Amino acid sequence: MSDSPGSAPAPTAAPAPPAAPEPRPTTLRQRLAELRGPDVAPHPLDARALAALAANPGCGRRALLDGAGVDKTALAAALGSPAPFGQSQFAFMRGNAFEARVKADGGTELMRLLHERMGAGTPAPVPGEVRVPDLAAMGPEGRAARTALALREAAGAAAGSAAWTLLVHPLLALEVAGSPAFLEPDAVVVRPDGRWTVVEIKSFPMIDSSADASKVGAAARQAAVYVLALERVAGRVTGARVDHSVLLVCPRDFSNLPTASVVDVRKQRSVTRRQLARLTRIEDIAATLPEGTSFDLERCSPAELTAAVDSVTAAYAPECLAACELAFHCRGRARSAGAVEALGRGVRGELGGLTTVDAVLAAARGGTAPGTADDDPTVVALRRAAALRAEALASVPESAVAACR
């Protein structure tokens, strides 16, 4: 039926408003930039920092801060717990002088030591005939590309010949949490058999062919990072193989004469590789942080920075004091909480479910500790130790006990 004359037209439905665009997902790099501060450049990672990560792979705090590129030295100072790290000017000059001596004359002494320790089955390098390519280039990306090119050329020159190549301070790129980290080993040697060997030069002495175990361990972890980065380049070069043993060059006894030893870094390499793989998943750690958490040193107050740092779980151990800029802050927190981690990883492992000093003392004195039972082997051992101590003290004159106190 048609509308009657003069009737108003039927109203039309208003057009629906355009749908709001879906928010773009935040990438890992964007999330880390938000945590660091949008206007703050990321603090570059070096081999020493990556080696420290491998030394304590269970620390989410260090993994997140390093992955985000936060300057931990400045952060520790802002928290009121600065780390007294740094090398004395005398030690720095002595180390530079020793390294220059090792690399003098085209690396003659270095190549002699390497062939003597690791060159079985290869012709001896002839002084003056070792190739030492120029690795100069503009910027870190240019230097890394120049290093990769020099390594490919050295591999080609070594094939079917007796050519040795020494790369002094090459620059290697390693992707860490989606961003490149540029690493600079002391030297890399390309041998005639196609193997690439990392050389680490340290200024601590080898006395009677033996060096301080902790320093050797730190050097091995650092060298393992270089091995991983070098493997990325070797994977694109036919016939190239990266040696999993590195040459550690140190002063002999109390002189400035170089000596060397071979260090197998396969274990350190595996640990570092796992830790770097874990760094690529730090979005899982970041997802647990409270809303608004930021480590922006320019905009956050010390109280806000403290809350932000404490919101990330840490795995403190006394060994951190020699490797991590935040160790003194973490130690203070562990001590204030009475955590047994402050006594060392060995003690923490022995105490099982007893996580605080108060719980340990309560269990030893016959009390109850949360999460443990009277027949718990740790509780039994603590009470036995407490009984033996009381028995020993009972046999000592009171005056002697008072003097010890």
Side-chain angles (χ1 to χ4, degrees):
M1 179 182 296
S2 62
D3 294 337
S4 60
S7 61
T12 58
E22 295 185 2
R24 296 176 63 183
T26 302
T27 65
L28 174 60
R29 184 175 296 187
Q30 291 172 330
R31 176 60 175 143
L32 296 181
E34 292 172 357
L35 291 173
R36 181 179 64 248
D39 301 325
V40 181
H43 189 70
L45 282 172
D46 57 15
R48 192 181 298 274
L50 295 177
L53 274 174
N56 190 5
C59 185
R61 181 175 296 171
R62 170 138 202 172
L64 180 67
L65 293 174
D66 278 344
V70 176
D71 185 347
K72 296 193 299 301
T73 299
L75 178 59
L79 296 175
S81 302
F85 286 161
Q87 193 176 39
S88 71
Q89 189 66 20
F90 173 77
F92 183 77
M93 293 174 62
R94 182 176 182 273
N96 282 348
F98 177 71
E99 182 174 340
R101 178 167 189 163
V102 172
K103 296 177 179 177
D105 300 324
T108 299
E109 183 64 13
L110 188 156
M111 301 301 290
R112 183 192 67 81
L113 288 170
L114 188 141
H115 185 263
E116 180 182 290
R117 301 291 195 274
M118 306 176 70
T122 59
V126 179
E129 296 185 9
V130 175
R131 300 174 69 251
V132 185
D134 181 8
L135 303 179
M138 291 293 294
E141 292 85 359
R143 286 186 59 202
R146 181 68 188 91
T147 295
L149 177 61
L151 285 166
R152 288 195 295 270
E153 291 174 347
S161 71
W164 291 76
T165 301
L166 171 64
L167 279 71
V168 178
H169 284 295
L171 199 66
L172 306 171
L174 183 66
E175 186 173 297
V176 179
S179 300
F182 295 100
L183 314 170
E184 188 176 4
D186 293 324
V188 170
V189 175
V190 179
R191 295 188 267 180
D193 59 2
R195 284 186 291 173
W196 299 359
T197 304
V198 171
V199 178
E200 269 292 279
I201 303 173
K202 297 297 184 183
S203 59
F204 57 81
M206 285 188 187
I207 300 174
D208 292 334
S209 302
S210 179
D212 182 272
S214 62
K215 294 180 179 179
V216 172
R221 288 190 294 271
Q222 188 173 339
V225 178
Y226 298 138
V227 169
L228 278 175
L230 201 58
E231 285 178 337
R232 304 294 175 91
V233 182
R236 300 188 291 270
V237 179
T238 303
R241 293 175 294 146
V242 179
D243 205 327
H244 293 159
S245 293
V246 303
L247 186 74
L248 178 62
V249 182
C250 298
R252 183 174 61 203
D253 298 328
F254 300 100
S255 71
N256 204 35
L257 300 175
T259 187
S261 67
V262 179
V263 181
D264 190 329
V265 298
R266 281 177 295 183
K267 178 181 178 182
Q268 293 85 351
R269 169 183 165 275
S270 297
V271 172
T272 304
R273 186 171 56 183
R274 287 197 301 271
Q275 182 64 355
L276 292 182
R278 181 175 181 267
L279 270 182
T280 63
R281 298 192 299 273
I282 55 178
E283 63 267 27
D284 297 336
I285 303 174
T288 65
L289 300 180
E291 187 70 25
T293 298
S294 174
F295 304 99
D296 192 337
L297 299 172
E298 299 177 359
R299 300 182 181 181
C300 296
S301 66
E304 291 172 330
L305 290 173
T306 300
V309 170
D310 291 346
S311 67
V312 190
T313 58
Y316 172 74
E319 294 85 351
C320 296
L321 295 173
C324 183
E325 296 86 345
L326 287 177
F328 290 87
H329 173 81
C330 297
R331 181 181 67 174
R333 283 292 192 260
R335 286 178 172 178
S336 64
V340 296
E341 285 86 350
L343 303 176
R345 291 193 180 102
V347 175
R348 175 69 189 89
E350 291 288 341
L351 292 175
L354 301 173
T355 59
T356 66
V357 174
D358 289 341
V360 172
L361 294 177
R365 292 166 181 163
T368 58
T372 60
D374 289 341
D375 59 350
D376 186 287
T378 302
V379 174
V380 172
L382 285 170
R383 290 177 180 172
R384 176 59 178 162
L388 291 174
R389 178 179 181 275
E391 183 180 333
L393 290 177
S395 63
V396 178
E398 183 64 28
S399 58
V401 175
C404 293
R405 291 174 180 168

